[in-house]
Amino acid sequence: MDANGTAARRRRGAGADPKGTTGRVTRRRVRTRANLLDAAFEVFAARGFRGVTIEEVCEAAGYSRGAFYSNFDSLEGLFFALYQQRGDLIADQVAEALSIDVGLDVSAAVDRVTEALPLDRDWLLVKTDFLSHAARNPMVAQTLSQHRARLRQTIADQLARPAAEGVLPPGLGDAAGAARAVMTAYEGVTAQLLLDEDPEGARAWLRRLLTGLLTAGSAHTARPAPDDAAR
């Protein structure tokens, strides 16, 4: 086979399914997809999903339309993949941050939850766009609901012991109810952040709000350890 035939064959291989290709081609495809997602995140945050074209994403990433279509079937498909990628990453980061059991210390739980929940303005802009898109598309809404449920469960796990011991305000119900209240407060604060553009102020307000929410009517925010109580 001549050089031109070999080059054409390689081009066709670069657009094929990664399964069965060489490691080099697979790595290139993975890198291309990652670069397209990174560029899309910046463009969507700056312009909004409805204000972006495939050409603009390709230009920002430095790729052709052919590279785009070898990874995504549409702009909506890219948007969906971007939300899944970022949503999974954030859920993993929150789960890792909240993996330490704080026992009955609600104040410590509030600190960990507040620091773990993302308050990145660009992500919030993209997420808000996705929420609006999901409200009009039941299939997309299902994915959004799954990611939200995962975050709520992670927070509920952190609050399970205080809830079981009656440390949390009874009006919140069980740990799942408390986690839902935390998410509601978080989403309210993030909406305000988009207007104020003050991440540190938003995080401080979120901490105060969650402290009041999770300790309202409670006689204490933490109980002494058994050894301390015996002294």
Side-chain angles (χ1 to χ4, degrees):
M1 183 178 291
D2 61 18
N4 290 335
T6 301
R9 185 177 176 183
R10 286 176 178 170
R11 285 195 296 272
R12 289 195 298 272
D17 189 284
K19 295 180 181 178
T21 61
T22 66
R24 181 175 62 83
V25 171
T26 300
R27 287 194 297 271
R28 182 169 68 239
R29 284 178 56 85
V30 169
R31 184 170 62 250
T32 299
R33 181 181 176 88
N35 289 341
L36 283 166
L37 287 168
D38 287 344
F41 180 77
E42 295 179 4
V43 175
F44 286 141
R47 300 280 304 279
F49 172 58
R50 296 299 178 188
V52 171
T53 65
I54 291 175
E55 287 77 13
E56 288 172 325
V57 173
C58 291
E59 182 179 356
Y63 291 114
S64 66
R65 286 176 63 93
F68 178 94
Y69 282 114
S70 70
N71 287 276
F72 305 101
D73 59 1
S74 64
L75 191 65
E76 183 180 64
L78 169 63
F79 192 42
F80 190 85
L82 174 63
Y83 182 85
Q84 285 191 306
Q85 179 208 52
R86 297 279 170 158
D88 286 343
L89 176 62
I90 289 170
D92 289 342
Q93 291 174 339
V94 170
E96 182 178 357
L98 300 185
S99 61
I100 298 175
D101 184 7
V102 298
L104 300 179
D105 190 343
V106 176
S107 296
V110 166
D111 286 342
R112 295 194 69 81
V113 168
T114 302
E115 290 303 319
L117 290 171
L119 286 172
D120 174 77
R121 188 173 185 273
D122 284 349
W123 164 244
L124 296 177
L125 285 168
V126 172
K127 187 178 76 168
T128 300
D129 255 3
F130 195 82
L131 176 62
S132 176
H133 183 54
R136 298 178 176 89
N137 188 321
M139 293 297 293
V140 178
Q142 184 177 4
T143 295
L144 178 62
S145 179
Q146 290 170 350
H147 281 285
R148 288 164 59 88
R150 184 180 173 191
L151 276 178
R152 283 200 308 271
Q153 186 58 54
T154 299
I155 296 169
D157 291 344
Q158 180 74 196
L159 298 175
R161 188 176 171 191
E165 295 291 332
V167 175
L168 298 180
L172 295 179
D174 58 9
R180 187 176 293 276
V182 168
M183 287 296 293
T184 300
Y186 165 64
E187 288 164 356
V189 169
T190 56
Q192 190 61 43
L193 168 62
L194 293 179
L195 301 177
D196 295 344
E197 299 188 31
D198 181 10
E200 291 307 312
R203 198 172 298 281
W205 176 242
L206 179 61
R207 181 178 285 105
R208 290 173 58 192
L209 182 59
L210 292 182
T211 298
L213 180 67
L214 297 178
T215 61
S218 178
H220 54 277
T221 59
R223 291 180 179 177
D227 288 346
D228 293 332
R231 292 192 182 100

